[in-house]
Amino acid sequence: MAAISKKNPVDLIFSFVTAIASFSVIIFILGILYVLVSESSLAISRFGIIKFLTSTDWNPVTESFGALTNIYGTIVTTFLSLLIAIPVAIGIAIFVTEISPNFLKTPIGIAIELLAAIPSIIYGMWGLFTLSPIMSNYVEPFLKKITAGIPLVSVLFQGTPMGIDILTASIILSIMIIPFTASISRDSFNLTPAVVKESAYALGATKWEVVKNVVIPYSKLGVFGGIVLSLGRALGETMAVAFVLGNNHRITTSLLDAAATITVTLANEFAEADNDVYLSALFYLALVLFVMSFITLAIAKFFLLKAERKYSR
Amino acid sequence: MTRERKRRIEGFIALALSTLAALLGLFWLIFILGDVLVHGLKALNLSLFLNDPSPPGTEGGGLRNAFVGQLIITVFATLIGVPIGVLGGTFLAEYARGRKIARIISILSDIMVSVPSIVIGTFIYAILVRPFGHFNGWAGAIALSIIMIPVVLRTTEDMLSLVPWTLREAAFALGAPYYKVITQVVYRGAATGILTGILLSIARVAGETAPLLFTSFNNSFFSLNMNQPISSLTVTIFQYAMGPYDNWHEQAWAAAFVITIFILLLTITGRLIIKWRYR
């Protein structure tokens, strides 16, 4: 086909234009990396890498900036949201592929996809006005009460339940990432060959045993890829968290305290950063986030590709 | 208890939990959509679309500036993002089909689809806002188009790959050069698929807020000037919802209602087209 394309000058131009358009993706990635590094060079030279990543100081007045409180908030909310989302998402996938009657499969599939299509600003607003009061009035006092006497666990629920805290933010994040894990798990489950399942049934396995011992082991690569993908999404989610996390640069042990994530700090402080070091530190944060999420997403893609290759064989 | 019975009970519990999980997913969807619907419909009225915001704290006023601004930003983002995405996808599916570079670019695009949009906002801020000294509409539109391009590019590539190779051979046999085969035969065969990709990409960026916060920013006055800060629904929702006035909260709900319905309709339409055309 290349031989045909070389003959015609218009064709050469067309192939050139399309090539540039597709290289734009690489240009954007390199461009983002270059711009973020050069914009944050002031902060990099002033705070270094290790010191920036490990310092908990975030003080615009003294121009002293460290990323640890932001990174801590990002990791805690992401981890907690995955903890809630993974079992639910896998449950949904099991329900859709193995339990649900046929006429329910499509509507539930669409419902889950719609959950993914709702813009994050809507999640944030709903979280602020609806979920947060419910959390502070009912859920959080209840959690405080039942964990009160238990050592270690009670530490997680100290403080006044305000509803604007790590727990609320994580719940909203988990709702947002459930659809990604659920739909990828469902697709992977569906790829389990019917013959393998039937032979397990023929040996007398119950439905759950088939899911546990045949379907999940067979599709674990895909499911894992889906989980890492939603991990990447949760890392970079901004608006849903910005509403309900407060913006508190402190490392807290209680889930009922406000915190800050990298994205929330950027959303709240970027437009008002009034001096060069401050702005440069924010660009540095953005760089850290970009690198973190790019690596995570690349790992997810690696597993999904590996899964794809395995299933297509 | 016999082993048999234990296995049965264990299975029953596990399957019941899965069903509960599915119900929980539906519960959240109904909860969120219902909430947006109830609050949104209550606050929805004609003056919302016809009037500009009144001064903070006073009753009345509307969000005409935000509706128009959102429309302009989205249209320009589409005008920039769609051609680049479609052409890029064409390269991957046609000229570079099966080559290593095509694989690398598709993988990078898949990663780009999920890269935090706020990072793209900071990138555009550095190259299109700071050098000019003020927030502007173009920066917002370009930030959104960068989010759009990988989405359109990947769907275009997938849809073009579905067009049977024999169709191209038939056109080659008539002596058509490759670009004519692509524009007149392949594009036509994949048109609905590409259109669906475009719809879904618009749905994807129409709800974006983070990259607009420091590119197009916001404007409490009606403006059509893309060289100046321009208002958008999503940023307005953010500011109004975080603000102290009840009046603002109501308008934010109404705006949230409009944008949610718009995005869900686009998404459902896109899904239906795919279902009807490709299954």
Side-chain angles (χ1 to χ4, degrees):
Chain A
M1 56 187 190
I4 305 163
S5 66
K6 295 256 162 61
K7 278 180 194 157
N8 191 310
V10 185
D11 206 47
L12 205 66
I13 296 169
F14 190 66
S15 66
F16 186 65
V17 171
T18 58
I20 291 183
S22 73
F23 282 122
S24 69
V25 175
I26 298 179
I27 296 168
F28 291 145
I29 292 174
L30 295 178
I32 291 172
L33 203 59
Y34 173 76
V35 166
L36 292 185
V37 169
S38 73
E39 291 292 329
S40 55
S41 58
L42 184 62
I44 294 175
S45 65
R46 178 154 332 175
F47 307 115
I49 294 174
I50 308 281
K51 197 178 157 222
F52 185 71
L53 294 180
T54 54
S55 162
T56 57
D57 208 16
W58 186 267
N59 193 340
V61 181
T62 59
E63 295 192 359
S64 167
F65 298 101
L68 193 60
T69 52
N70 300 296
I71 295 174
Y72 174 81
T74 304
I75 290 176
V76 169
T77 49
T78 303
F79 176 76
L80 209 60
S81 65
L82 283 177
L83 210 63
I84 307 170
I86 292 171
V88 178
I90 291 181
I92 292 175
I94 294 175
F95 179 81
V96 174
T97 53
E98 307 293 332
I99 308 171
S100 144
N102 268 329
F103 69 95
L104 271 181
K105 282 185 182 170
T106 324
I108 292 184
I110 291 176
I112 300 300
E113 265 165 20
L114 288 186
L115 209 50
I118 297 175
S120 65
I121 180 109
I122 305 297
Y123 278 101
M125 197 177 158
W126 171 81
L128 178 67
F129 289 127
T130 305
L131 187 63
S132 158
I134 295 176
M135 294 296 290
S136 67
N137 291 333
Y138 306 104
V139 181
E140 287 170 0
F142 174 73
L143 287 173
K144 256 179 99 78
K145 212 166 87 188
I146 58 168
T147 56
I150 313 168
L152 288 178
V153 181
S154 63
V155 176
L156 295 177
F157 299 101
Q158 271 168 356
T160 326
M162 299 288 286
I164 306 287
D165 51 38
I166 297 177
L167 186 63
T168 310
S170 304
I171 290 177
I172 294 177
L173 260 185
S174 78
I175 304 173
M176 294 192 68
I177 60 177
I178 282 172
F180 298 106
T181 318
S183 65
I184 292 178
S185 305
R186 177 197 60 191
D187 293 346
S188 311
F189 286 179
N190 272 333
L191 290 172
T192 316
V195 193
V196 185
K197 287 201 290 193
E198 278 156 17
S199 47
Y201 281 122
L203 291 174
T206 62
K207 203 167 224 177
W208 166 241
E209 283 165 343
V210 172
V211 171
K212 189 178 62 173
N213 300 325
V214 178
V215 176
I216 291 180
Y218 188 86
S219 48
K220 62 174 185 289
L221 266 181
V223 174
F224 190 68
I227 290 171
V228 182
L229 178 72
S230 49
L231 168 72
R233 292 258 175 173
L235 281 181
E237 184 43 55
T238 309
M239 300 322 292
V241 190
F243 278 99
V244 290
L245 194 56
N247 186 18
N248 180 12
H249 294 284
R250 230 157 42 84
I251 290 189
T252 82
T253 51
S254 171
L255 302 182
L256 304 187
D257 272 335
T261 65
I262 298 179
T263 52
V264 170
T265 304
L266 288 175
N268 281 319
E269 301 179 22
F270 204 86
E272 55 197 47
D274 47 7
N275 62 57
D276 288 347
V277 185
Y278 194 4
L279 193 62
S280 183
L282 288 169
F283 272 113
Y284 200 174
L285 270 189
L287 177 67
V288 171
L289 177 66
F290 181 60
V291 172
M292 259 164 74
S293 58
F294 197 89
I295 292 173
T296 313
L297 294 167
I299 293 171
K301 191 66 199 160
F302 171 76
F303 279 107
L304 290 173
L305 281 175
K306 218 168 136 185
E308 197 179 284
R309 227 171 293 144
K310 177 185 162 190
Y311 303 142
S312 66
R313 221 183 276 148
Chain B
M1 201 189 299
T2 62
R3 208 173 124 71
E4 179 67 33
R5 211 177 136 76
K6 211 177 128 199
R7 284 172 55 205
R8 271 273 169 79
I9 293 172
E10 191 191 281
F12 178 78
I13 293 172
L15 296 186
L17 285 177
S18 301
T19 312
L20 268 182
L23 288 177
L24 187 67
L26 285 182
F27 167 76
W28 288 128
L29 182 74
I30 294 166
F31 193 178
I32 296 170
L33 286 187
D35 213 33
V36 171
L37 208 73
V38 168
H39 285 96
L41 279 179
K42 227 189 308 176
L44 208 59
N45 56 47
L46 209 57
S47 77
L48 193 78
F49 300 97
L50 297 179
N51 295 335
D52 287 333
S54 54
T58 56
E59 286 292 314
L63 294 174
R64 182 176 69 129
N65 61 337
F67 282 103
V68 175
Q70 178 90 37
L71 194 69
I72 298 177
I73 294 175
T74 314
V75 166
F76 276 110
T78 311
L79 288 179
I80 302 166
V82 165
I84 299 180
V86 170
L87 289 173
T90 308
F91 179 76
L92 301 188
E94 302 292 332
Y95 292 104
R97 179 182 282 228
R99 298 225 192 110
K100 202 161 190 185
I101 186 75
R103 261 190 91 55
I104 293 172
I105 293 178
S106 350
I107 291 172
L108 287 178
S109 307
D110 280 345
I111 295 174
M112 266 298 272
V113 169
S114 304
V115 154
S117 55
I118 196 162
V119 171
I120 292 169
T122 58
F123 166 63
I124 295 295
Y125 176 87
I127 61 170
L128 285 176
V129 175
R130 214 147 63 127
F132 298 104
H134 54 82
F135 298 107
N136 61 79
W138 289 115
I142 291 171
L144 292 190
S145 73
I146 292 183
I147 299 169
M148 227 168 175
I149 287 168
V151 182
V152 181
L153 184 136
R154 287 291 287 124
T155 33
T156 306
E157 185 195 357
D158 287 347
M159 293 305 159
L160 294 185
S161 305
L162 288 178
V163 176
W165 190 253
T166 44
L167 209 62
R168 296 182 183 81
E169 278 171 356
F172 286 141
L174 295 173
Y178 202 176
Y179 78 94
K180 271 209 169 130
V181 176
I182 293 171
T183 51
Q184 298 187 354
V185 178
V186 184
Y187 277 168
R188 223 164 265 185
T192 30
I194 296 175
L195 181 75
T196 311
I198 294 170
L199 286 184
L200 293 178
S201 72
I202 295 174
R204 167 90 166 75
V205 298
E208 280 292 349
T209 315
L212 297 181
L213 281 176
F214 24 82
T215 52
S216 57
F217 196 58
N218 204 353
N219 190 339
S220 29
F221 302 101
F222 184 77
S223 163
L224 296 172
N225 185 355
M226 287 287 278
N227 292 319
Q228 290 298 322
I230 196 164
S231 182
S232 59
L233 274 181
T234 48
V235 175
T236 306
I237 292 174
F238 184 52
Q239 287 186 346
Y240 275 30
M242 291 294 228
Y245 312 109
D246 282 342
N247 179 32
W248 275 17
H249 295 171
E250 276 172 28
Q251 293 190 345
W253 276 115
F257 171 78
V258 174
I259 207 158
T260 309
I261 295 295
F262 174 75
I263 288 172
L264 291 188
L265 279 182
L266 272 188
T267 310
I268 294 174
T269 313
R271 301 274 169 220
L272 283 180
I273 295 178
I274 291 181
K275 238 192 181 141
W276 158 71
R277 190 72 169 67
Y278 296 94
R279 257 177 221 168

